[in-house]
Amino acid sequence: MSPVLQLRDVSKSFQAVRALRGVSLSLHPGEVHALAGENGAGKSTVVRIIGGEHRPDAGELLLDGEPARFSSPRDARQRGVAVIHQEPVQFPDLSVAENVFMGRQPLRRGRRIDRREMHRRAAELFDRLGVPLDPTRPTRGLSIADQQIIEIAKALSADARVIVMDEPTAALSAVEAQRLFRVARGLAGRGAALLFISHRLEEMYQLCDRVTVLRDGALVSTDPMAEVPHDELVRRMVGRSVEQLYPERRADVGEPRLVVEGLTRVGVFRDISFTVRRGEVVGLAGLVGSGRTEVARAVFGVDGRDAGTVSVDGVALPAGDPRAAIDRGVALVPEDRREQGLVLELSIERNASLARLRDVSPGWITRRARERALARRWGERLSLKAGRLTDPAATLSGGNQQKVVLGKWLATEPSVLIVDEPTRGIDIGTKVEVHALLSRLAADGLAVLLISSELPEVLGMADRVLVMHEGRITAELPAADATEESVMRAATGGGA
Amino acid sequence: MREKVVRWEVVLLLLCGAVFAFGSSGTPGFADAGNIAFLLQDFAEVALLAMALLPIVLTGEIDLSVASILGFCSALIGVLWDAGVPFETIVPLALVAGAVLGSVNAALVVWFGLPALAVTIGTLGLYRGLAYGVLGDGAVTGFPENYRPFATDAIPGTFLPYTMIPVLLVGLLAALVVHHTPVGRSLYAIGLGEQTARFSGIRVHRVKFALFVVSGVLCAVASLIYTLRYNSARADNAAGMELIAVTAVLLGGVSIFGGRGTVLGVASALLLMAGLRNVLFLDDVTNEVQNVINGLLLIVSVLVPVAANTLRGRRRPRLG
């Protein structure tokens, strides 16, 4: 079958940066096409060109074999090309159906919105997708997974033939991801062409028919998915072979550094007790919503606590005071790096110094030179790829943003490091670096608490795994006993 | 490649130059030392209120009650003076009153999490009402001759008024704190990403609380100058001055959404507005027209950065 959409020798530069160099790609009806590559490889630029946000500098975009120019994302949508973003932006107070039909509501006489028709059609779309969502409820409070379904329904309602999914699974649980894959396969089965982007290679093998690999803005290869073995795919993405995703670790465990006893936040989690020792990486696993992140927030003091104690190296931390926690050597790399880890509009160096402003300000005067030296030191140590340190953090790729957050916290010279989803949405190369870093830090005597939705990460990194279910710790497994099965059993309430 | 955007402060200073050049060539009396002194003096209170507002706006909040705090403090000064309290005692009392009124704003915004816009519109009315409650419709005059020169006269040997001393002091202190201290860094971080600021150990609530209190104290300082300058304590002193101060802050390039702006920008805007007002005054332009101009400036100052941002946003590369 002839392709619906094609990129032919497309190049695109942003000022001096060549984001894409002669990339070609064709999407066929009924096919799920994977786009693989590290951060900065040009995947997002491809998405933005297909979605009508950018226009190529050279080369062309063909729709049904005809050269096409999308003047805007809206124009692209109207011509059957839809992009589903990682975290959709919706109107939380409008109903599900209103979000689906935003701007294209079915009308009655006198240009009034026909609510009943709108709800009926929305229900029909969700039926087709096989996801029971109530079209009349407000969007507020829906999971990211459900919000993506709304975006897909929106695309379907506009008769999209090309659907681009830009890292849709980054914030989804395994169950939610499987549901999304069912929906995606259904769409392809009905003749849509899908472009799927993910950092989780396993997902590509599960879902996709063909895979295109980009590296440094150039096309590396396009092959049927089944013909590219995992190691080969990684080698093509990184340009070298990655020996292992997780470092060899030999825990040299010392005295307790972080001791949490009976920590309770009414209605969120209760009676949480655990210890993280010097040199140890403790994994905190559990499904999204089990209270993992909330425990980390309470330990760090961003949230208060109703009962329990937290102490670091034998000294108790006051409740609800992050500053005190930082001063006592606790660092938290938060889950949401855009909203909690970085101030995107501030420069890289200002972000890097944010958690230790006092140290770059002897005599209460902030010294730019010290600030810059701090950013440069940590930038080098973490091999940060950035233009200038005075550029806004927003200009960095996800992986490099995460490095800035890590650098910012390591600069506080913590004794306890809590990392919440440290590798979410970052490329394999950086992921390996982050894992090696955590391992090295533990070897240097830090106590590391690792929270992650990715079980392989927890199992690969942790010396001990704590599993949470509905606000309680339901299992504590030494690395030797922790398997995907045993952790999942505890995470779903089955006991260890 | 560096974006070639002319800094807003430069634009303002050029405009300042234009106004002063126009004034000196086209308006008789403008360039006189006495007139320049008057022009500077006439903006002392507005400058203090603007410097009080600047850090608050940087964090994304606002304080519209500034002129009302000035009014209340002025009324309080009048009542106390009328009751025979020595002026040396009145000064600290006025400052404390300013701090208390600022704390009320702070408590409502920080502890109860209410929007500063609503809170300070409320206290704008409330404090002005209290001023009338304290002093009524009348005026108190006859302030001590040994203090009045500090609000009216020039520093001996220069044409600069004494009031330039507190204004410059506050301006320099603001520039130091906002641009060169951890507190200043915190203000921008709060304005651009409050959650991240909190996660970085910045005590957001404490910072905001302090800003409203400091704002109250600066308003009290302004009230002392105002009262002595006009030798008159009235409940309606400086009514409506909050709009001029807000205009100066926004015209100075401070984003109403927080996180953007400089002390130099606000200072340039103050100078520009002072010059403009003086030229219009000398050219016998009516108060109503001056108000119209002030209103237009306010709108333009909000429009320009939004427009500039939109243009810049189109060009910003996003890689990945």
Side-chain angles (χ1 to χ4, degrees):
Chain A
M1 227 186 296
S2 60
V4 206
L5 185 139
Q6 274 178 285
L7 295 184
R8 202 179 273 166
D9 280 330
V10 164
S11 296
K12 176 79 188 173
S13 297
F14 296 100
Q15 296 170 355
V17 183
R18 298 180 69 188
L20 286 183
R21 290 176 288 173
V23 169
S24 300
L25 177 73
S26 50
L27 303 179
H28 297 268
E31 180 192 63
V32 186
H33 196 117
L35 187 58
E38 290 202 280
N39 274 341
K43 302 189 301 282
S44 302
T45 312
V46 167
V47 170
R48 295 204 172 94
I49 286 176
I50 294 178
E53 269 184 68
H54 292 325
R55 270 151 298 287
D57 296 337
E60 49 184 0
L61 185 148
L62 306 174
L63 195 59
D64 297 318
E66 303 283 323
R69 258 180 74 92
F70 297 144
S71 58
S72 66
R74 185 186 165 82
D75 184 30
R77 269 201 305 279
Q78 278 165 352
R79 291 155 80 172
V81 178
V83 177
I84 315 295
H85 292 284
Q86 185 178 345
E87 283 168 29
V89 183
Q90 286 163 347
F91 301 94
D93 293 311
L94 294 184
S95 74
V96 167
E98 281 168 315
N99 270 292
V100 170
F101 290 101
M102 179 52 62
R104 293 170 294 103
Q105 295 91 340
L107 298 178
R108 293 196 290 171
R109 267 187 319 129
R111 295 192 56 79
R112 283 177 304 163
I113 291 174
D114 188 343
R115 263 169 216 288
R116 193 175 309 164
E117 173 68 7
M118 188 165 75
H119 288 152
R120 193 187 62 72
R121 281 206 229 161
E124 198 178 282
L125 286 169
F126 292 128
D127 209 42
R128 242 165 86 192
L129 292 172
V131 180
L133 263 182
D134 175 7
T136 58
R137 65 157 288 171
T139 316
R140 187 182 293 284
L142 282 180
S143 67
I144 288 180
D146 285 341
Q147 293 179 27
Q148 287 173 345
I149 297 291
I150 293 176
E151 290 300 302
I152 294 173
K154 199 190 231 173
L156 278 187
S157 74
D159 296 319
R161 297 172 301 148
V162 176
I163 298 174
V164 181
M165 297 189 177
D166 191 0
E167 289 190 39
T169 56
L172 301 193
S173 71
V175 180
E176 291 170 329
Q178 289 307 325
R179 184 183 72 175
L180 180 73
F181 296 165
R182 272 201 308 280
V183 169
R185 265 185 234 108
L187 294 171
R190 276 190 292 272
L194 269 68
L195 183 64
F196 179 81
I197 294 160
S198 171
H199 280 299
R200 302 185 189 167
L201 303 187
E202 296 75 20
E203 295 178 346
M204 295 189 181
Y205 284 102
Q206 228 184 317
L207 177 69
C208 302
D209 304 307
R210 286 198 302 156
V211 57
T212 290
V213 181
L214 297 181
R215 185 170 73 231
D216 298 331
L219 179 72
V220 176
S221 65
T222 299
D223 293 289
M225 196 78 226
E227 291 175 17
V228 192
H230 192 287
D231 295 347
E232 173 61 16
L233 187 57
V234 171
R235 200 188 56 70
R236 286 185 194 174
M237 286 165 60
V238 201
R240 61 187 156 87
S241 61
V242 174
E243 300 304 326
Q244 356 169 231
L245 212 40
Y246 306 103
E248 206 59 59
R249 298 211 48 243
R250 203 170 15 138
D252 193 4
V253 174
E255 74 277 18
R257 296 207 88 160
L258 173 67
V259 178
V260 175
E261 270 167 4
L263 195 65
T264 299
R265 201 170 149 75
V266 175
V268 186
F269 55 79
R270 64 207 143 109
D271 202 19
I272 303 291
S273 301
F274 63 90
T275 303
V276 188
R277 292 163 206 281
R278 173 187 288 276
E280 196 180 30
V281 177
V282 171
L284 185 55
L287 301 177
V288 172
S290 61
R292 299 171 315 188
T293 296
E294 290 73 12
V295 167
R297 290 172 61 117
V299 167
F300 185 62
V302 178
D303 291 340
R305 55 186 188 234
D306 296 315
T309 58
V310 177
S311 59
V312 174
D313 292 332
V315 183
L317 294 184
D321 188 352
R323 184 73 250 163
I326 295 168
D327 291 343
R328 290 247 49 93
V330 186
L332 171 65
V333 174
E335 162 188 49
D336 185 340
R337 76 175 156 260
R338 302 170 63 84
E339 292 289 327
Q340 301 165 342
L342 295 170
V343 181
L344 288 172
E345 292 173 72
L346 281 185
S347 68
I348 295 165
E349 57 188 21
R350 290 210 175 184
N351 270 291
S353 66
L354 206 53
R356 51 176 291 178
L357 281 172
R358 268 184 285 172
D359 301 316
V360 295
S361 313
W364 283 92
I365 300 298
T366 305
R367 309 286 157 84
R368 296 204 72 163
R370 285 204 184 201
E371 197 172 41
R372 184 154 304 169
L374 175 104
R376 187 166 295 141
R377 188 162 69 243
W378 284 101
E380 276 167 16
R381 214 173 288 183
L382 301 179
S383 46
L384 176 76
K385 290 188 197 78
R388 285 182 320 244
L389 295 176
T390 47
D391 286 341
T395 57
L396 296 175
S397 67
N400 282 310
Q401 286 183 355
Q402 188 69 333
K403 284 182 179 177
V404 174
V405 180
L406 279 164
K408 160 183 160 184
W409 285 111
L410 294 179
T412 65
E413 288 161 18
S415 48
V416 173
L417 177 64
I418 306 173
V419 286
D420 195 353
E421 303 286 5
T423 62
R424 173 184 284 176
I426 67 180
D427 59 85
I428 287 199
T430 312
K431 217 167 179 167
V432 173
E433 287 176 50
V434 169
H435 291 151
L437 176 72
L438 292 178
S439 168
R440 211 161 52 234
L441 291 168
D444 289 345
L446 261 74
V448 179
L449 182 65
L450 166 69
I451 301 173
S452 175
S453 295
E454 281 187 55
L455 266 186
E457 182 168 82
V458 174
L459 297 176
M461 290 297 301
D463 303 310
R464 232 167 358 115
V465 181
L466 304 170
V467 189
M468 283 189 74
H469 171 65
E470 291 182 353
R472 308 197 59 155
I473 292 185
T474 49
E476 177 172 348
L477 307 162
D481 299 344
T483 60
E484 299 225 5
E485 292 72 33
S486 62
V487 173
M488 275 319 286
R489 203 159 49 238
T492 48
Chain B
M1 219 166 65
R2 189 136 220 149
E3 278 181 53
K4 293 226 170 76
V5 182
V6 181
R7 291 193 59 176
W8 183 239
E9 289 84 350
V10 176
V11 176
L12 286 174
L13 285 170
L14 288 175
L15 285 174
C16 264
V19 166
F20 280 81
F22 173 80
S24 344
S25 63
T27 308
F30 179 84
D32 296 354
N35 182 58
I36 297 292
F38 169 76
L39 169 166
L40 293 173
Q41 198 154 36
D42 200 32
F43 242 60
E45 297 90 357
V46 173
L48 290 174
L49 300 196
M51 287 303 157
L53 269 165
L54 165 67
I56 294 180
V57 178
L58 280 179
T59 65
E61 305 287 350
I62 193 142
D63 184 355
L64 292 178
S65 70
V66 282
S68 295
I69 297 182
L70 195 168
F72 176 85
C73 290
S74 184
L76 185 71
I77 293 166
V79 168
L80 292 175
W81 180 246
D82 209 29
V85 180
F87 204 73
E88 294 75 21
T89 317
I90 291 178
V91 173
L93 285 177
L95 297 179
V96 168
V100 169
L101 297 188
S103 318
V104 172
N105 284 335
L108 291 169
V109 172
V110 173
W111 293 346
F112 294 94
L114 304 176
L117 183 67
V119 166
T120 59
I121 284 179
T123 52
L124 179 154
L126 175 70
Y127 296 163
R128 187 64 71 184
L130 287 179
Y132 279 101
V134 170
L135 188 62
D137 279 336
V140 174
T141 59
F143 286 98
E145 289 301 328
N146 50 339
Y147 283 105
R148 285 200 45 226
F150 289 112
T152 53
D153 289 7
I155 304 168
T158 70
F159 70 93
L160 287 176
Y162 273 115
T163 51
M164 280 308 281
I165 295 174
V167 169
L168 282 178
L169 222 55
V170 167
L172 289 175
L173 200 66
L176 183 73
V177 171
V178 168
H179 299 305
H180 299 286
T181 67
V183 176
R185 293 297 160 92
S186 308
L187 302 179
Y188 289 91
I190 293 170
L192 292 171
E194 186 162 335
Q195 264 203 78
T196 301
R198 222 154 57 80
F199 271 81
S200 305
I202 293 168
R203 289 169 166 151
V204 175
H205 283 181
R206 207 177 284 187
V207 170
K208 284 190 178 172
F209 203 104
L211 292 180
F212 279 102
V213 176
V214 168
S215 166
V217 172
L218 286 175
C219 296
V221 173
S223 82
L224 285 163
I225 297 176
Y226 195 101
T227 309
L228 290 176
R229 191 152 73 91
Y230 292 99
N231 192 16
S232 160
R234 292 176 54 94
D236 67 351
N237 271 357
M241 195 183 272
E242 67 277 339
L243 284 186
I244 306 175
V246 169
T247 305
V249 169
L250 297 187
L251 182 64
V254 180
S255 163
I256 189 77
F257 306 111
R260 246 178 270 275
T262 61
V263 174
L264 180 62
V266 175
S268 322
L270 283 166
L271 202 57
L272 173 63
M273 287 168 67
L276 198 59
R277 178 151 92 171
N278 190 264
V279 169
L280 294 173
F281 172 76
L282 292 178
D283 288 345
D284 290 327
V285 174
T286 60
N287 244 330
E288 288 72 25
V289 174
Q290 291 196 33
N291 283 340
V292 167
I293 290 175
N294 200 44
L296 286 176
L297 275 179
L298 184 61
I299 292 169
V300 167
S301 57
V302 180
L303 265 182
V304 167
V306 170
N309 243 340
T310 315
L311 291 175
R312 209 172 301 160
R314 283 211 194 110
R315 281 187 289 152
R316 183 180 294 167
R318 295 184 62 188
L319 310 174

